[in-house]
């Protein structure tokens, strides 16, 4: 035992006494194309393209805008929509019309000089309509709130994914203990959830909304393509690894393992996905 302690002491003293400055060279990481774009019926498409800076490049920003890309959208019938860079919004907008239809498949193709071609595909989901909305005042924890019961019908025998949110005047956050709204996926004023527990059923989401000075509130129910759901899910998982697992205690844990952000892009990172929205707007309660 004494011999083991002596050997450990000698090894430790050797390690700590031989600290000399070492020039460590790290190869500069690869720059990657970062792309974000969404399609939806009746909504003008917009594609954002940037180049990422490597972690050890020494550049001040995180990304650099791409302004010289060739961007095209193809539908399943052979039609092509071309895009051009718009300086005012710093994104690519279509220069010709293409009809975006539920159930149809669309391919995004991007060519940036000096980089491999980028490809992604999405299928437009069907619109899931809000059947009805019932609302009435409630008092929760001494606060006067308006309770909304939002009913919709989930299509049977298929995977469906949803993005639910509200828009008012200056305050958009809502409260809910509805079991369908998986609060692991909540971020401020929206919820992303699947139909795993309600497949084919009519369901009523219950939320409590606080009115400040709004004249109205809009209830949005968006059906998402699978890649959009997995993208938002991965963003939330990445966000949650920095949260300390004790209620009401905030602490960043730098040794937490990073979570891989979902991407469906070939030769790039980011997301190309689709959604279909139904919206109901109601006046603020008197």
């Amino acid at each position: 035992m004494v011999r083991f302690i002596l050997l450990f002491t000698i090894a430790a003293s050797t390690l700590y006494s031989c600290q000399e400055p070492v020039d460590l060279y790290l190869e500069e990481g690869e720059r990657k194309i970062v792309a974000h774009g969404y399609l939806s019926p009746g909504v003008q498409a917009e594609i954002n393209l940037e180049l990422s800076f490597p972690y050890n490049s020494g550049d001040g920003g995180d990304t650099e805008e791409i302004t010289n890309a060739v961007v095209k959208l193809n539908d399943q019938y052979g039609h092509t929509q071309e895009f051009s860079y718009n300086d005012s919004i710093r994104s690519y907008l279509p220069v010709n019309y293409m009809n975006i239809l539920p159930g149809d498949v669309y391919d995004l193709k991007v060519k940036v000089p000096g980089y491999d071609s980028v490809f992604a595909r999405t299928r437009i989901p069907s619109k899931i309509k809000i059947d009805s909305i019932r609302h009435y005042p409630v008092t929760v924890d001494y606060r006067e709130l308006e309770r909304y019961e939002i009913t919709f019908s989930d299509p049977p025998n298929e995977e469906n994914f949803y993005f639910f949110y509200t828009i008012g005047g200056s305050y958009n956050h809502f409260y809910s203990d509805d079991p369908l709204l998986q609060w692991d996926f909540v971020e401020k004023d929206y919820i992303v959830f699947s139909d795993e527990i309600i497949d084919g059923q009519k369901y009523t989401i219950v939320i409590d909304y606080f009115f400040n000075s709004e004249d109205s509130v809009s209830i949005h129910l968006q059906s998402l393509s699978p890649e959009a759901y997995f993208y938002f899910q991965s963003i939330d998982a990445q966000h949650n690894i920095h949260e300390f697992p004790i209620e009401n205690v905030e602490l960043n844990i730098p040794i937490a393992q990073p979570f891989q952000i979902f991407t469906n892009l070939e030769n790039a990172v980011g997301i190309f996905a689709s959604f279909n929205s139904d919206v109901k707007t109601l006046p603020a309660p008197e």
Side-chain angles (χ1 to χ4, degrees):
M1 181 68 178
V2 174
R3 184 171 179 271
F4 172 78
I5 295 174
L6 180 61
L7 288 173
F8 179 82
T9 304
I10 293 173
S13 62
T14 302
L15 289 172
Y16 282 103
S17 63
C18 296
Q19 294 181 6
E20 295 182 0
V22 176
D23 292 329
L24 180 62
Y25 174 74
L26 296 176
E27 293 185 3
E28 186 171 313
E30 179 185 4
R31 302 190 72 182
K32 290 186 175 292
I33 297 173
V34 182
H36 290 87
Y38 294 90
L39 296 182
S40 182
V43 178
Q44 178 177 255
E46 180 179 330
I47 309 297
N48 179 264
L49 295 174
E50 297 174 309
L51 277 177
S52 66
F53 284 113
Y55 67 92
N56 60 336
S57 66
D59 291 293
D62 295 325
T63 57
E64 174 188 351
E65 293 174 13
I66 298 174
T67 62
N68 60 342
V70 176
V71 181
K72 294 183 179 181
L73 183 69
N74 297 323
D75 67 12
Q76 63 192 56
Y77 309 106
H79 305 130
T80 299
Q81 185 176 50
E82 298 184 355
F83 289 70
S84 65
Y85 183 76
N86 186 293
D87 288 313
S88 62
I89 65 170
R90 298 180 178 180
S91 290
Y92 288 79
L93 296 180
V95 297
N96 61 302
Y97 178 76
M98 176 178 283
N99 198 13
I100 305 299
L101 299 173
D104 283 358
V105 175
Y106 296 84
D107 293 341
L108 175 69
K109 297 181 180 180
V110 176
K111 180 57 182 174
V112 178
Y115 292 84
D116 292 335
S117 297
V118 175
F119 175 83
R121 172 173 291 173
T122 188
R123 181 187 297 273
I124 311 299
S126 300
K127 177 184 288 189
I128 309 300
K129 293 185 177 181
I130 298 173
D131 296 330
S132 63
I133 298 178
R134 177 174 176 257
H135 63 99
Y136 49 90
V138 294
T139 302
V140 180
D141 296 332
Y142 305 103
R143 291 178 300 177
E144 299 298 324
L145 304 172
E146 190 76 2
R147 177 159 295 174
Y148 288 87
E149 298 178 355
I150 303 104
T151 301
F152 69 99
S153 299
D154 180 73
N157 304 319
E158 62 182 58
E159 282 189 315
N160 293 289
F161 306 99
Y162 297 93
F163 189 106
F164 175 84
Y165 66 102
T166 61
I167 293 181
S170 57
Y171 187 88
N172 298 323
H173 196 82
F174 57 85
Y175 308 89
S176 178
D177 58 3
D178 193 302
L180 181 64
L181 306 185
Q182 301 175 35
W183 286 98
D184 286 345
F185 298 163
V186 68
E187 175 61 24
K188 293 183 180 178
D189 57 357
Y190 69 81
I191 294 284
V192 179
F193 61 93
S194 74
D195 70 341
E196 183 177 1
I197 65 174
I198 62 161
D199 181 49
Q201 300 178 29
K202 177 171 285 194
Y203 192 85
T204 299
I205 296 173
V206 180
I207 66 170
D208 294 333
Y209 188 90
F210 174 75
F211 278 92
N212 187 4
S213 59
E214 295 89 342
D215 294 325
S216 63
V217 60
S218 295
I219 309 293
H220 296 248
L221 182 66
Q222 294 183 342
S223 50
L224 298 178
S225 61
E227 61 274 1
Y229 172 77
F230 295 130
Y231 176 71
F232 285 116
Q233 185 184 29
S234 66
I235 288 177
D236 183 77
Q238 175 65 41
H239 172 76
N240 285 343
I241 67 172
H242 299 295
E243 295 182 354
F244 195 61
I246 298 179
E247 188 176 0
N248 298 323
V249 175
E250 293 185 4
L251 177 66
N252 185 31
I253 306 176
I255 61 173
Q257 182 177 359
F259 190 91
Q260 182 68 42
I261 300 298
F262 177 87
T263 181
N264 66 328
L265 297 165
E266 295 181 9
N267 301 318
V269 294
I271 187 69
F272 175 65
S274 54
F275 64 93
N276 207 336
S277 299
D278 194 26
V279 183
K280 303 292 184 185
T281 300
L282 295 89
E286 298 180 357

